[in-house]
Amino acid sequence: MSTPTTPEHGTDRLKVAVVYYSSTGTIAALAREISETAEKAGAEVRLRKAPELAPQSAIDSNPAWADNQRATAGIPEASPDDVAWADAVIFGTPTRFGNVSSQLKQVLDQLGGLWAEGRLADKVYSGFTASASPHGGQESTLLALYNTVHHFGGLIASPGYTDPSKFTDGNPYGTSHTDAQGANPVDETARTAARVQADRVVRIARGVKAGLAA
Ligand SMILES: Cc1cc2nc3c(=O)[nH]c(=O)nc-3n(C[C@H](O)[C@H](O)[C@H](O)COP(=O)(O)O)c2cc1C
């Protein structure tokens, strides 16, 4: 095995949880890009999907949804332990009427116990999303997600315009993609945004972790 060259090797690797919900695969594709980038940056990564809440009949009525269910069958479902474990959590959700999907919200709503114990605070959080149309609620979805993070006492690492590519994808709140109801699969612009966001979360979380430990 090759030896990782990260500062944490052999001691305490940065832990990143990528927790997402995806019906038709857009967010799942971004979640994989973010996970792989965080791993390449030296983090230990848990890629986790939110448990499905929709009835199987609804899934089966939409081929893209059924395909994504099959393609992601091997990804473990998220639990509160995954959030407790992580130094940084990157949440992904499709826009649902300008808001966070109920499936990801259900994951968040199961964190009350950890919240009461103060175990969600001082972690780094970030979010990514997708919508069907360009003004369909990407920013409102990410801001709604970040409302919850404020209650955690979390530290939001948004991408801002910290990389020249952000002037191309144009969303400082987090990676977002416009899928045009499936007609526009995740493209290189969105993948670049995902990589920039993942690298930034790892870098900021390393700094926070080291600073808090000092
Ligand atoms: C119930 C529902 C509500 C949606 N609300 C919006 C919306 O407000 N704005 C929008 O542009 N797209 C909306 N969409 C489309 C999805 O957000 C979009 O297709 C997203 O990319 C799907 O991600 P996924 O492929 O990971 O499931 C909605 C889809 C569903 C099923």
Side-chain angles (χ1 to χ4, degrees), residues 21-28 68 93-99 129-137 177-182:
Y21 174 71
S22 180
S23 292
T24 51
T26 311
I27 291 296
N68 182 52
T93 176
T95 286
R96 290 286 184 262
F97 306 121
N99 218 316
T129 192
S131 67
S133 60
H135 298 286
H177 178 66
T178 305
D179 77 352
Q181 310 276 19

Side-chain angles (χ1 to χ4, degrees), residues 49-75:
K49 66 185 180 198
E52 185 55 87
L53 300 177
Q56 192 61 42
S57 56
I59 297 167
D60 292 341
S61 71
N62 180 338
W65 199 350
D67 285 351
N68 182 52
Q69 187 185 51
R70 276 189 292 275
T72 60
I75 295 176

Side-chain angles (χ1 to χ4, degrees), residues 143-154:
L143 290 171
L145 173 68
Y146 294 158
N147 281 340
T148 300
V149 174
H150 288 299
H151 286 252
F152 293 171

Side-chain angles (χ1 to χ4, degrees), residues 139 158-173 196 200:
E139 295 177 12
S158 49
Y161 293 94
T162 57
D163 185 272
S165 65
K166 294 307 297 177
F167 291 94
T168 301
D169 78 71
N171 192 338
Y173 300 87
V196 166
R200 178 168 168 76

Side-chain angles (χ1 to χ4, degrees), residues 39-199:
E39 263 170 7
K40 279 183 196 147
E44 185 179 354
V45 176
R46 286 188 187 180
L47 175 61
R48 297 288 185 267
K49 66 185 180 198
E52 185 55 87
L53 300 177
Q56 192 61 42
S57 56
I59 297 167
D60 292 341
S61 71
N62 180 338
W65 199 350
D67 285 351
N68 182 52
Q69 187 185 51
R70 276 189 292 275
T72 60
I75 295 176
E77 291 188 339
S79 77
D81 174 65
D82 296 313
V83 177
W85 166 87
D87 301 304
V89 187
I90 310 176
F91 290 115
T93 176
T95 286
R96 290 286 184 262
F97 306 121
N99 218 316
V100 176
S101 63
S102 58
Q103 289 87 347
L104 186 70
K105 190 67 167 49
Q106 174 76 349
V107 172
L108 298 174
D109 288 351
Q110 290 175 337
L111 299 177
L114 291 173
W115 168 83
E117 295 169 6
R119 291 171 63 197
L120 302 175
D122 299 348
K123 296 176 188 287
V124 169
Y125 298 89
S126 204
F128 58 101
T129 192
S131 67
S133 60
H135 298 286
Q138 295 172 357
E139 295 177 12
S140 62
T141 298
L142 290 172
L143 290 171
L145 173 68
Y146 294 158
N147 281 340
T148 300
V149 174
H150 288 299
H151 286 252
F152 293 171
L155 306 163
I156 297 171
S158 49
Y161 293 94
T162 57
D163 185 272
S165 65
K166 294 307 297 177
F167 291 94
T168 301
D169 78 71
N171 192 338
Y173 300 87
T175 299
S176 61
H177 178 66
T178 305
D179 77 352
Q181 310 276 19
N184 184 27
V186 170
D187 58 12
E188 197 46 37
T189 298
R191 288 188 187 279
T192 300
R195 290 193 290 269
V196 166
Q197 186 172 13
D199 277 331

